[in-house]
Amino acid sequence: MKEALRLEGVHKSFDGNRVLRGVDLSLAEHEVVCLIGASGSGKSTMLRCVNLLEPVDAGRIIVHGEDITARGVDEDRIRRRIGIVFQAFNLFPHMSVLRNVTLAPEKVLGKQRTDADDEARELLERFGLADKAEEYPDRLSGGQQQRVAIVRALAMRPDIMLLDEVTSALDPELIAEVLNVIRELAAAGMTMLIATHEMGFARDIASRVCFLDDGVILEEGPPEQIFSAPREPRTKQFLQRIVEAGRL
Amino acid sequence: MTGPSVDEAGEPDPLSGHGGSRLLGNRGVLISTASTVIFFGALALIVVLAPGFKSVREGFFDWAAMKDSLLGVPEEGLPGIAPSFLLNVEVFLVAEVLILVLALVVAVVRQIPGPVFFPFRLVAIMYTDLFRGTPLLLVIYIFGFGIPALQIRGLSTQDEVVYGTAALVLSYAAYVSEVYRAGIESVHASQMAAARSLGLSRWQSLRYVVLPQAIRRVIPPLLNDFVSLQKDTALLAVLGVIEAARAAQIYSAYRFNYSSFVVSAFLFILVTIPLARFTDHLIERDRRRRAARGAP
């Protein structure tokens, strides 16, 4: 299988606080990998580094064979191929749903308005948002907003999608609609790196689960192994707490 | 942020701040009418009973002098305040457009990151510090007398109105750029991150995502500054420009009557009050919108 993404010894600190302390990870094309771990273990930072929203301090990140952390790399060109969806949606509040989706295809890819509109409406239709195209984000539910954010990222036809705890800000009854969208993407063969607190979802969807602890990937493996027979004591402890909280 | 006022039922109160009679009730209307009559009645009494009232009335509220000064007395070479006031409006309109553009440029330049752009940021910071710290009157004097003295061809032979307007523009743009900057900084960093993550360049993100939101937020304070700008066009009088205040001064000097100042003041009020009410309207609309979407 061809490799889509590789992290080699990635380090990242914020004001002396070492958030990532040598992360190694490899994703094959069409693979879905879930990152689990406590808040503050570095999941979000890792995704933001892959999207070049944060520069790495040391190590390399390689996307389809290209070192994107090398000097002089055109960040905007890299980001076009890597979509990211944030916990807080981050939709543009001054634009309609349709304009949120078409902004980047028009301005970055130089598509004609009519073509961008057609493609955006097609995507919105596919994710059950066709009737929301003219609405503004603040008129939508959290689940709808997050689905729009996913569509917005997809409109750039990325090779890889990064999902940063996309259901953490949602009311419980709205989580399923977003998870279903992600399942559909996985079924369609999208390469995805997903930071999540939804353990049941991770067990269903992931081809591999990585347990991130204190800035390193402490344990990784197929979901059945990680969730049923974790090797590391820290992983056991973490999953134990999740079970106690009734989340698994 | 101060949240919208909320009554006990937890519903946003759409009429608060208006003092609307629906809220006051019948008894409230009676009381407010009575207190208004008493207040203004007392004020009028104080003025009318003042020892100098008679001379003030003749000196400041002479009907004939008001009419003469408003329209001017061509045969005696006295300029009218009304035609002169058009110059104030003209200067205001031209200056306003230039201020909006220049201030935006300065605000954006201050946002450009990276060591290469340090000199640009430095110039922008020095400019704002310099012009915000200097009294507008002095800027007008310095421009009005300094630039002609430089004897630069094309630049030093302009009309005083040009120097005065330039002084207004540079002084106000320094303030307005700070208003813009506050607006830009009030847009959350996650908006920039979202835009960049889609592959938009820094400039595109600013242009399409950050600035539209920032500018929308600062429109009320900007309008507030423009109310002030409209009045400050009168300062061009010190360069000998015959605008409304200067025309009023000329009239009073020839006729020994100050009614012309009252006329001139009235013209300024006529323009600024609608502008101020419009600003209030926008602030109120913004407040209602925030309340409607649950005050984010």
Side-chain angles (χ1 to χ4, degrees), chain B residues 130-153:
Chain B
L130 197 67
F131 280 90
R132 275 203 309 167
T134 317
L136 176 56
L137 184 61
L138 296 185
V139 178
I140 290 175
Y141 274 129
I142 293 168
F143 275 46
F145 300 127
I147 296 177
L150 285 174
Q151 300 189 13
I152 300 170
R153 189 188 297 189

Side-chain angles (χ1 to χ4, degrees), chain B residues 85 87-88 91 136-137 140 168 228-247 249 264 268:
Chain B
F85 187 67
L87 183 62
N88 294 79
V91 167
L136 176 56
L137 184 61
I140 290 175
L168 282 173
S228 178
L229 172 67
Q230 164 60 20
K231 293 184 301 174
D232 281 349
T233 55
L235 289 171
L236 266 57
V238 301
L239 296 181
V241 173
I242 299 175
E243 46 67 66
R246 178 84 181 131
Q249 197 196 356
S264 183
F268 279 99

Side-chain angles (χ1 to χ4, degrees), chain B residues 80-93 242-244 267:
Chain B
I81 293 172
S84 308
F85 187 67
L86 289 179
L87 183 62
N88 294 79
V89 174
E90 208 177 307
V91 167
F92 167 70
L93 291 176
I242 299 175
E243 46 67 66
L267 287 185

